[in-house]
Structure formats: structure tokens, C-alpha cells
Amino acid sequence: MNDLKVIKEKSLKEWQLLRHPDEPVIYIGMASCGIAAGAVKTKRVIQETLEKYKLKANIVEVGCIGTCYLEPIVDISLKDHPRISFGNVDEKRADYIIKKVLLEKDLTKTRPLGHLGPESYDGIPSLFEQPMLKPQVRIVTKNCGLIDPSNFMHYLANDGYTGLSTALKKEPVEVIEEIEAAGLRGRGGAGFPTGKKWRACYDMGSGPKYLICNADEGDPGAFMNRLLIESDPHAVLEGMLIAAYAIGASQGFIYIRAEYPLAILRLSKALKQMEEYGLLGENILDSGFSFSIRIKKGAGAFVCGEETSLISSLEGKRGMPRTRPPYPTESGYHGKPTVINNVETLGTVPHILRNGAAWYRQFGVAGNYGTKTFSLVGKIRRSGLIEIPLGTSLRQIIFDIGGGTQKEFKAVQTGGPSGGCIPAELLNTRVTYETLAEIGSIMGSGGLIVMDTDTCIVDVARYFLDFIQKESCGKCTPCRVGTRHMVEMLEKICSGEADPGILDKLESMAGLVKSTSLCGLGQTAPNPVLTTLRYFRTEYVEHVNNYYCPALVCRDLIEFTVIKEKCTGCQRCVSVCPTGAITGPRSEPHNLDTSKCIKCRACYEVCRFDAIAGNAIIITSKKNDEN
Amino acid sequence: MKPKKLSFLEILDSYSAEESSLIPLLQDAQDEDGYISPEKVEGIAQHLKITESQVYGVASFYSQFRFTPPGRHSISVCLGTACHVSGGETLLNTFERDLEISPGECTPDGRFDLNRVACLGCCALAPVVKIDDDIYSKVNVIKLNDIIGLYE
């Protein structure tokens, strides 16, 4: 049964061979984001090009390294040069790069991003010298974008399942001690010490227990869990095995969003491989420990990220929360002790077992050890997924890693709809669970949404509240009714119909919802409103008192105008205008009838993006026109 | 080759009669032809020995389940935070206008149904639109017209 050692040797040979291949190896980033950016087309062109030149190569589909702004990403390794990475490989560039690298062996004009592995080549720097990658510390994402997530051998060759074998040599309680010593805290957002949670479940003694991996990544603007599962599913599964062994669970569930079909597919494949190699089922690796894992697809409810709601949903009920205590570690799934851990938490566990608690504690700061992944998105130059040691400042994340914003930086939202909007003057804040809470936000699961001066803060607050109001499960009144009132107030502010006293009302309603809601969803829902009122009150006041939206976003407070001097008369805007508000013959400046305009922005977008249009449509404030 | 789709009765038989089967059963039942019909609610209730209102109560709680037939093609406009700040709402409005339907509805010719989705997790490529299984990134109003033309 225990033939993992033999397979491991084989996997190392296979991996070594990929590094110095007889036949060229072409790696294509095929996570959801790469596919959305066109990786499937890129792959097709690569295959066609290979055929055209009668070239032979081995194509390997890998996950995502996190530099999403460079997608599609293609790496090539040849016998005489290491794996070299190329960015933005669209169909045209794919053909060019294959021709240059494989046929002409000439890399001069191919604009490589960098090389991978220890050996340098032809003055090409390491890929990890890229500005977005250099400041990162990659532990959980170590394999992401580098290995084929469907190939068990690749995971095995990169220290895969050594964390498990280390764990199985220890007593369960020693595994818990190791996690406690490492100071690992829940990466789902709340930051509860993982070891403590495990111990509470362990202390419930023998009898059926359950382990649930929470992959119901519901925060809009966050995709850390999707990327990790799509790029390195075995890391999460190895973490589950270790956790189950430590707490004494024999059945595990992965509760994953149905919106992540590729992640589900890769998990199912990985589970089959585990069964094949004796890593699931009875007596795993002859240790006497037995465990099985089932995938449960979520059905689309944000509140199911909350652990008691998640359990209700698993039991086949409406996903509504219940009061705690008792905590799930005492009474969870079907009333049995249950541990629920986030994907990233579980993905970190094997590394701690492999390298020890002391090693893990060298990263991060006291009380906040280790690394955290974030999805860096919004109005940022270099968007994607990053992993940084806790204690890194927001400024470092946004400017050093993300390259800053195109327009002037305005705010960053952490923690999704449960978090807060952090202004420029607080950018030196170091990211820890406590510091973010002090300034009114939360760590959350890791969404970082960057906003510039084109983003209206009031509109963002309205957006988050509207999201929460729609997702509120309806069980408790403060959340069900309170969030609705808050959305109505915010809509009035955005449309310039608010009374002067509205901000105080909004603030007191926010306080009420925060202090009286049943679960985390309602208790944190007012955070976006409270933080924006705290840091951007003048912007609210402008909306309320002066009917002025400084970012020119709120529809009822703006107007569209055609600048005659710039208009090329291309008629593109005429053809997209749904209400016939824009008129004018070809080659002559167009007219925009503001009484017909519904401010859909279609003309504005066309005029901005179309090559022959003159960027002639501008947005102005209604208030300015009136003055 | 794709495995043959199971019929509703075969789906029912593949699940044991316990409450925790309800959501996966609804998911599989919806996979068959894209929605949960009143007949399916009845069938599931009988199979699991619970009331139809219990089945409907759970199904209507989750946004995944629809109770009207879908179009030949499903359009999902992502309205996650990153998509929101990059113009996702404008895209949704454009679809609503061009197709003359609201989210959750289907065009009279059965060509498209339109949906809003909280986040597809491709935030770095916002705004994102998904049609059937294809994801389109960095979409704008001009691209939209070309994209719709690909689906008949």
C-alpha cells in the first residue's frame, strides 16, 4: 500500500526532465482568469504554429502565478535554456514567440518577463525580479502557475504530501501544538487562532466529527480561494488531511461556490488521484487514520460563508445562521463537533508541518505571523493575486507591488462588503488583523479594491449596502429591515434628493444594525458606510448639500456634453445611443439633447475607446452648469 | 464524449431520501433542462418525504435556482466590486435595453436569458461578462455588440 516513496522518486525524475527537456515544453496559464484573458485561443494558435513549422513540443497547462495583468502567460523551456516566461501572449504574439524561440532560437525581440529556476540565461532576470512579484513571500502560492494542477506528480515532486507524512508521525495533539506554536490564524477573515479551534474540537473526545473546508468565497472582488484551488488543489487537500488527523474527523466536506466550475473540476480530479495513491479512504499510508472527502456545491448565498449558515446549507436547509454558542466545534454538522477552516488556512497547514512552527514565525509580525494572500483589483496598474507577510503596509502593497493607480489614489476597500474604505492618509497602516480593525475595517478574506478619483465613495457605499441587503437571509430584523433603510437613504443621497439631516440618520441606523444583528453578515454590513462617513464625509456633504458628485458618477447629478471642436462626426455615438438623444450628420459635430439623455454612458464609452472617435464626449456636474 | 444526461427520474433514484440530499438534488434537477419546474418540486418532495413548500422554501432561498425555462444562451453580467467600479452596471443596462428584458428574464424568442451575478472571480480583468461557459474580460459597450452576435 505504502508505495508513495516509489512514486515520489518517479515524480522527481519527471519534474527534473521538464526542466531540461529533450523536447521543448510550453506551459500555458489556464486558470479561469487566464482563460478569460484568452488562454484557450493562445493555446490553439500555439498548436497551429507548431504544426505549421512541423515542430514538436510538450504543452503543459498550469495554474495562475497571480500576475493577472500579464495574462495570458506562456512559459517555454528548452534543452539549452531554462523555463522562460512571456506575458500578454495573445494570438498574434503566440505565433511570433513560438517562431522566434523554438525555430529561430532568438529571444531578442520576444520581451521575456523573466526566467524560472536557479539558472539565469542570456541576461534575462529571474521572473521573481518583476516589480509585482519581488516584494512577495510565496508560501501558500508557492506552486501556483508553476505546476500542472491536474498532475499529481508535479505536486509530489514539489514536497507534496511531506507535511502529511510529518503529521502522521506525530500524535494528533502534537500536530495541534505545532499549529498553535506557529500562531496561524483563520485566513477567512476573522483571524481566530486555528490551533485553538482544532483543540476545542479535539477535546470533544472520540465519536463522529467533521471537517469542512470553506470555499464559498462570496466577497465580490475576491478570488484568492478560486486561484489557489485551480492552481494547486492538492495543497488544500493535504491541509484537510492534516486537520482531520489532528481533530479526529473521518469525514470531510468542501463547500465550494457553484460559480467556480473549473475549481470544482480540478478538486474532483485531485480527489480521484488521492484515492488512487491511498491518500483517502481506510488506513491512509498505513497510519490507521481513515478519512474521506466529499464536494458540496454551494447554491449561491453570500450568508453561507458564515459558518453556522454553511452548516445549515450542508444539511439541506435554507442557509440561515443561528446563535453561537454552542460553537460548531461542539455542535456543528448534524449536531456533531465540526471544524470549519478556510481554503487558505488549510493551504498553509502543510507548509507549517513540513518546515516547522519556528520557520513560519519568521514571517509576519508578533501576533500576526505568516503570510496572507490578497486579490489586488480595481483601479490599479498591476492587478492580480499577491501573497505578502502580515505587517506589510498598504502603501507597499498598492504602490510597490500594484504600481499605484492611473489617476490619483482615493481609497482602498479591505474585507469586501464587511470591510471598510481606507483613505490615502492611512496608507502607512500595516496590514494586521488588529490594525485594520482599529481603523474601522477588517482583514476579511483578502479582497483589496483600489479606487481612484473616478470612483464615487457614496456610490461604493451604496453598492456594498445594496449587495448586503439583497443577500440578507431575513432571519433577524436589524439586518433585514435596517440594511434596506440604509440603501434607501444612500439612494436618496446619490440622486440628490436627501434632506440635510440624513447623514446623522444614516449613521445612527448603521450603529443600530451593527450592534443588534444576529450574525457576522449584519454586524459588519454597516462598515463600508461607517468608514466612508468617517473618512470621506465631505463627499457625502457635497452630494447632500450641493447636489455635487465630485467623481462624476452619480447619474442624477451629472450631464453629458459633446465638445464640438473635438467631435470627428463619426456617428459611432449616434448608433449606440438608445434614446436618439444624439443626432448629427456624418463628419459634422453631433448634438446631444440632454432632455432625452438617460446617462447610460454608452456614447461616452464609445467615444473614449473607438479609434476614430475624438474622445469628445465629456461628463460635467449639473450643479456647475446651473451656477 | 460527454456522459449522457440523466433523466429526472434517474436523478431522483440516485439520491437517498434524506434532507441533506435536497440541495444537490435540486442542482442536478436544474442541470437537466435549466430550471426547476413545479412538477420537479413535487417529485423531489415525494422522494424526500417532505412538503413541496419545504422544497420551494429552500430552492427560492438560493440564487442559483430558477423557476422559469432559461434561454438558449445564458448571459451573466458580473457585478462584483471590481466590475462595479469598472462599469459593470453600464453593461447590464445595455443588455437590458438591447434585449428588452430585465435580469432574471428571458427574451420572447428564447435566445437569451439575462442574469446578474455577484462575482465570477476574474476581478483583475473587470468588467466581465459570461455567456454560457465563455468568459469575456475587459468588456465595453462596443465589444458587447460583437459578442452577442456570436450566439444564435
Side-chain angles (χ1 to χ4, degrees):
Chain A
M1 191 64 193
N2 193 352
D3 51 0
L4 207 62
K5 264 196 188 130
V6 184
I7 305 157
K8 174 133 191 163
E9 270 167 37
K10 199 177 141 212
S11 77
L12 285 170
K13 273 186 202 146
E14 197 177 299
W15 183 250
Q16 204 55 33
L17 216 62
L18 275 181
R19 289 178 59 180
H20 293 284
D22 291 330
E23 213 167 71
V25 181
I26 301 170
Y27 304 82
I28 309 174
M30 289 283 229
S32 289
C33 37
I35 292 172
V40 175
K41 286 182 201 155
T42 298
K43 186 182 167 191
R44 200 187 54 226
V45 172
I46 288 176
Q47 285 165 329
E48 285 166 6
T49 311
L50 290 173
E51 229 164 84
K52 190 167 72 184
Y53 296 111
K54 304 212 161 28
L55 293 165
K56 273 196 176 161
N58 181 6
I59 294 180
V60 177
E61 292 184 13
V62 294
C64 174
I65 198 165
T67 52
C68 299
Y69 75 109
L70 294 169
E71 295 281 6
I73 297 171
V74 170
D75 307 342
I76 301 175
S77 60
L78 303 180
K79 199 175 177 76
D80 55 354
H81 77 61
R83 186 165 164 183
I84 291 172
S85 197
F86 303 89
N88 301 118
V89 187
D90 55 16
E91 293 160 85
K92 215 171 130 193
R93 216 164 113 71
D95 179 83
Y96 179 77
I97 285 174
I98 296 298
K99 201 172 77 186
K100 280 283 170 193
V101 180
L102 263 60
L103 202 64
E104 299 172 14
K105 316 259 175 196
D106 174 14
L107 268 70
T108 45
K109 284 184 185 161
T110 55
R111 289 184 281 126
L113 294 172
H115 73 82
L116 286 153
E119 317 102 277
S120 166
Y121 180 79
D122 202 17
I124 296 170
S126 163
L127 178 65
F128 293 99
E129 288 295 312
Q130 279 282 327
M132 188 174 186
L133 292 167
K134 198 174 180 187
Q136 297 190 36
V137 174
R138 299 172 70 89
I139 296 173
V140 185
T141 57
K142 175 178 87 94
N143 288 334
C144 294
L146 303 181
I147 65 163
D148 176 355
S150 308
N151 192 328
F152 182 68
M153 295 295 183
H154 284 195
Y155 184 67
L156 216 53
N158 287 281
D159 301 323
Y161 290 103
T162 52
L164 176 70
S165 43
T166 312
L168 293 178
K169 284 185 201 118
K170 295 175 187 264
E171 288 299 316
V173 71
E174 290 172 335
V175 175
I176 295 175
E177 279 161 9
E178 191 78 30
I179 296 296
E180 282 172 336
L184 177 64
R185 297 170 67 174
R187 295 296 189 239
F192 189 82
T194 305
K196 205 173 162 186
K197 198 186 252 188
W198 289 10
R199 189 176 285 274
C201 190
Y202 174 83
D203 286 344
M204 295 300 289
S206 57
K209 291 176 188 174
Y210 297 100
L211 172 76
I212 300 171
C213 168
N214 184 351
D216 191 43
E217 189 170 50
D219 277 10
F223 57 91
M224 299 76 50
N225 297 169
R226 171 187 66 70
L227 189 137
L228 181 59
I229 293 174
E230 285 179 357
S231 304
D232 196 12
H234 281 289
V236 181
L237 296 170
E238 184 180 353
M240 283 185 79
L241 283 177
I242 296 168
Y245 174 71
I247 63 170
S250 55
Q251 176 66 53
F253 296 102
I254 304 170
Y255 189 87
I256 184 165
R257 294 181 80 200
E259 287 90 337
Y260 288 172
L262 185 62
I264 295 171
L265 185 77
R266 293 204 172 146
L267 275 176
S268 323
K269 226 178 213 177
L271 286 177
K272 280 211 187 84
Q273 291 164 343
M274 288 171 78
E275 276 165 18
E276 210 174 299
Y277 294 106
L279 290 162
L280 274 185
E282 300 292 318
N283 192 17
I284 293 169
L285 301 181
D286 285 332
S287 64
F289 161 60
S290 303
F291 188 59
S292 62
I293 299 177
R294 279 164 68 188
I295 298 173
K296 289 272 191 172
K297 280 191 280 178
F302 178 68
V303 70
C304 289
E306 200 276 341
E307 53 182 21
T308 60
S309 306
L310 191 153
I311 289 171
S312 298
S313 177
L314 266 187
E315 292 170 347
K317 302 183 186 121
R318 294 164 72 94
M320 287 186 168
R322 59 160 178 78
T323 42
R324 298 181 303 182
Y327 288 94
T329 45
E330 297 158 44
S331 173
Y333 184 62
H334 289 313
K336 299 285 184 277
T338 304
V339 162
I340 302 179
N341 281 143
N342 168 267
V343 168
E344 187 180 341
T345 313
L346 291 167
T348 306
V349 164
H351 297 279
I352 295 173
L353 266 295
R354 221 171 271 160
N355 303 303
W359 166 84
Y360 191 69
R361 284 169 77 101
Q362 67 177 299
F363 308 106
V365 290
N368 282 264
Y369 295 109
T371 58
K372 172 88 194 78
T373 60
F374 288 96
S375 64
L376 188 55
V377 297
K379 303 288 183 71
I380 185 105
R381 279 176 214 265
R382 295 193 284 264
S383 55
L385 183 112
I386 60 165
E387 181 174 359
I388 46 129
L390 288 169
T392 307
S393 77
L394 285 167
R395 188 180 301 282
Q396 282 171 288
I397 296 174
I398 292 163
F399 289 89
D400 297 349
I401 297 176
T405 45
Q406 297 276 0
K407 291 200 168 178
E408 195 190 328
F409 173 86
K410 188 172 191 172
V412 58
Q413 171 88 13
T414 68
S418 313
C421 251
I422 301 164
E425 56 268 28
L426 292 175
L427 275 180
N428 289 334
T429 305
R430 291 178 176 278
V431 173
T432 68
Y433 290 96
E434 286 72 26
T435 49
L436 288 175
E438 272 163 31
I439 58 174
S441 187
I442 61 164
M443 172 78 79
S445 59
L448 282 181
I449 293 125
V450 179
M451 303 167 209
D452 64 10
T453 45
D454 274 349
T455 316
C456 171
I457 289 293
V458 187
D459 175 68
V460 167
R462 182 194 61 81
Y463 164 81
F464 281 123
L465 248 296
D466 184 56
F467 175 83
I468 289 292
Q469 187 262 315
K470 287 196 175 87
E471 292 293 341
S472 172
C473 78
K475 182 166 179 170
C476 73
T477 317
C479 178
R480 183 182 68 243
V481 182
T483 55
R484 181 154 203 118
H485 275 296
M486 288 174 72
V487 171
E488 279 168 11
M489 283 191 252
L490 287 160
E491 277 170 353
K492 276 189 181 160
I493 299 172
C494 288
S495 58
E497 292 164 358
D499 302 325
I502 197 163
L503 297 184
D504 296 333
K505 274 190 214 157
L506 181 61
E507 210 157 20
S508 81
M509 181 68 76
L512 190 73
V513 173
K514 193 179 172 89
S515 56
T516 57
S517 288
L518 172 65
C519 81
L521 182 126
Q523 288 159 11
T524 55
N527 284 348
V529 172
L530 288 168
T531 49
T532 47
L533 275 170
R534 182 163 154 195
Y535 300 121
F536 297 94
R537 202 175 184 99
T538 46
E539 201 164 326
Y540 277 91
V541 172
E542 285 286 357
H543 280 73
V544 175
N545 293 355
N546 302 325
Y547 313 114
Y548 174 52
C549 173
L552 299 174
V553 169
C554 293
R555 249 182 227 191
D556 293 317
L557 309 179
I558 55 168
E559 240 165 29
F560 291 75
T561 319
V562 179
I563 304 175
K564 303 258 180 246
E565 294 73 32
K566 283 176 109 180
C567 181
T568 60
C570 70
Q571 288 199 317
R572 293 290 160 102
C573 55
V574 178
S575 65
V576 296
C577 180
T579 59
I582 310 180
T583 50
R586 182 165 284 281
S587 305
E588 274 178 42
H590 300 332
N591 282 315
L592 197 156
D593 181 350
T594 49
S595 67
K596 283 188 187 167
C597 176
I598 56 165
K599 294 160 193 170
C600 68
R601 296 179 98 92
C603 60
Y604 176 75
E605 303 264 317
V606 169
C607 198
R608 208 155 54 114
F609 290 114
D610 198 286
I612 64 164
N615 201 5
I617 297 177
I618 56 158
I619 307 175
T620 53
S621 169
K622 251 187 180 174
K623 165 217 161 198
N624 287 353
D625 290 355
E626 281 160 13
N627 289 348
Chain B
M1 207 180 90
K2 275 190 179 176
K4 189 179 157 285
K5 272 193 180 172
L6 294 177
S7 74
F8 179 58
L9 287 177
E10 288 169 317
I11 293 168
L12 278 184
D13 283 343
S14 66
Y15 283 93
S16 56
E18 53 190 10
E19 204 182 355
S20 57
S21 304
L22 178 53
I23 293 171
L25 187 44
L26 282 164
Q27 286 169 329
D28 281 358
Q30 174 154 304
D31 269 352
E32 191 207 13
D33 55 1
Y35 76 114
I36 307 284
S37 63
E39 293 74 34
K40 282 185 187 166
V41 172
E42 197 188 331
I44 291 171
Q46 280 171 3
H47 184 75
L48 298 184
K49 300 186 178 64
I50 53 177
T51 64
E52 285 174 42
S53 64
Q54 276 175 296
V55 175
Y56 186 74
V58 169
S60 61
F61 181 85
Y62 296 97
S63 63
Q64 190 190 3
F65 301 114
R66 49 181 306 143
F67 304 97
T68 50
R72 290 196 294 282
H73 305 288
S74 284
I75 302 175
S76 301
V77 182
C78 182
L79 293 172
T81 320
C83 289
H84 176 77
V85 300
S86 325
E89 197 85 38
T90 306
L91 299 177
L92 181 67
N93 293 342
T94 310
F95 276 123
E96 287 180 60
R97 259 197 336 268
D98 289 355
L99 304 174
E100 296 178 348
I101 51 171
S102 301
E105 293 178 354
C106 180
T107 51
D109 62 358
R111 186 173 165 208
F112 290 114
D113 62 81
L114 181 63
N115 311 283
R116 45 191 305 161
V117 41
C119 187
L120 292 168
C122 299
C123 315
L125 304 160
V128 174
V129 169
K130 184 174 166 215
I131 303 186
D132 298 340
D133 288 329
D134 307 323
I135 296 179
Y136 296 92
S137 56
K138 295 188 178 165
V139 182
N140 58 43
V141 179
I142 314 170
K143 274 196 193 172
L144 222 53
N145 278 325
D146 300 340
I147 294 171
I148 285 194
L150 299 173
Y151 299 86
E152 260 320 309

